[in-house]
Amino acid sequence: MTRIEPELQPFRTIECGGSFPSFLHFDTPAAKAARLTVQIERVQELLLTVRNQATARFSGLGIIISDIPCHLPITPLRPKIQLEPSLPTVDALLKVSDQTTEYHDGFHVLSSSLQLQLISQYFSPPIAAVSFPPNDRVVGGRYAAAMFGSTLTGVIATGVVSKSYGIALFVDGTEVFVAAPNIVGSPE
């Protein structure tokens, strides 16, 4: 049986004004903390689902949660980035994290509502004054970029999923959630 692949549409571009959204400046500490807790729980669920559904061809994943990606130190890794806009976020992340796709490299940017905004972005945050590297495991460049990048203004959280060290989720330079790798991995 022949599977017909849907036609790929250009991924949307993000327009950006010159200033940060007002909600970044006028949140009460209690409101911001409550909203962040809910968002972090949703990101944890997303990363766990990706890890649990990943196949043997899973290359790893890096995500940035931000509503203002135009203020991030990112640049596209591919000249033409296309994605099926109707895919649910988990399915889209699994698809772009497959070793056989040209988009598996870099970080993917999600909004605070966990909608995929940009894929396959080179993310180069400055080195931040945080405790690095972790003492209990070997990590790589994607982990370091996620940790340092989580300290940037406008970044809600960053996360990585790796075949070797599992899941790490960061907020303000701190690893707030860790989960073991999916050792078995599902067949293709």
Side-chain angles (χ1 to χ4, degrees):
M1 183 159 145
T2 303
R3 182 173 177 196
I4 299 174
E5 293 292 329
E7 182 178 330
L8 295 178
Q9 300 296 319
F11 201 72
R12 66 188 175 104
T13 58
I14 304 295
E15 298 297 325
C16 193
S19 62
F20 291 111
S22 61
F23 71 83
L24 293 175
H25 299 292
F26 300 110
D27 260 347
T28 66
K32 185 177 180 181
R35 190 172 58 250
L36 181 61
T37 299
V38 170
Q39 287 174 327
I40 295 309
E41 289 172 357
R42 291 181 59 226
V43 176
Q44 287 175 8
E45 290 174 27
L46 175 77
L47 295 175
L48 284 165
T49 302
V50 167
R51 180 203 65 184
N52 294 341
Q53 293 182 14
T55 68
R57 295 189 323 216
F58 181 70
S59 65
L61 174 71
I63 62 169
I64 305 164
I65 312 298
S66 177
D67 288 321
I68 49 173
C70 54
H71 290 286
L72 299 175
I74 58 175
T75 191
L77 287 169
R78 304 291 176 262
K80 280 188 158 189
I81 295 181
Q82 297 180 333
L83 186 66
E84 297 170 49
S86 62
L87 279 178
T89 301
V90 168
D91 294 342
L93 290 174
L94 286 165
K95 185 170 185 159
V96 299
S97 299
D98 187 301
Q99 294 171 344
T100 63
T101 69
E102 64 180 307
Y103 305 121
H104 71 270
D105 235 352
F107 279 77
H108 313 296
V109 182
L110 284 71
S111 68
S112 58
S113 61
L114 302 185
Q115 296 302 306
L116 195 55
Q117 299 182 77
L118 298 167
I119 61 171
S120 196
Q121 302 291 305
Y122 177 73
F123 183 41
S124 183
I127 296 173
V130 296
S131 178
F132 182 82
N135 294 326
D136 58 342
R137 62 197 182 283
V138 177
V139 297
R142 191 178 275 166
Y143 179 100
M147 177 181 260
F148 297 146
S150 72
T151 66
L152 297 174
T153 300
V155 172
I156 297 163
T158 58
V160 291
V161 181
S162 166
K163 283 182 174 181
S164 61
Y165 57 79
I167 298 172
L169 178 60
F170 303 97
V171 174
D172 293 327
T174 302
E175 195 175 54
V176 297
F177 177 75
V178 178
N182 185 358
I183 303 296
V184 177
S186 55
E188 297 171 42

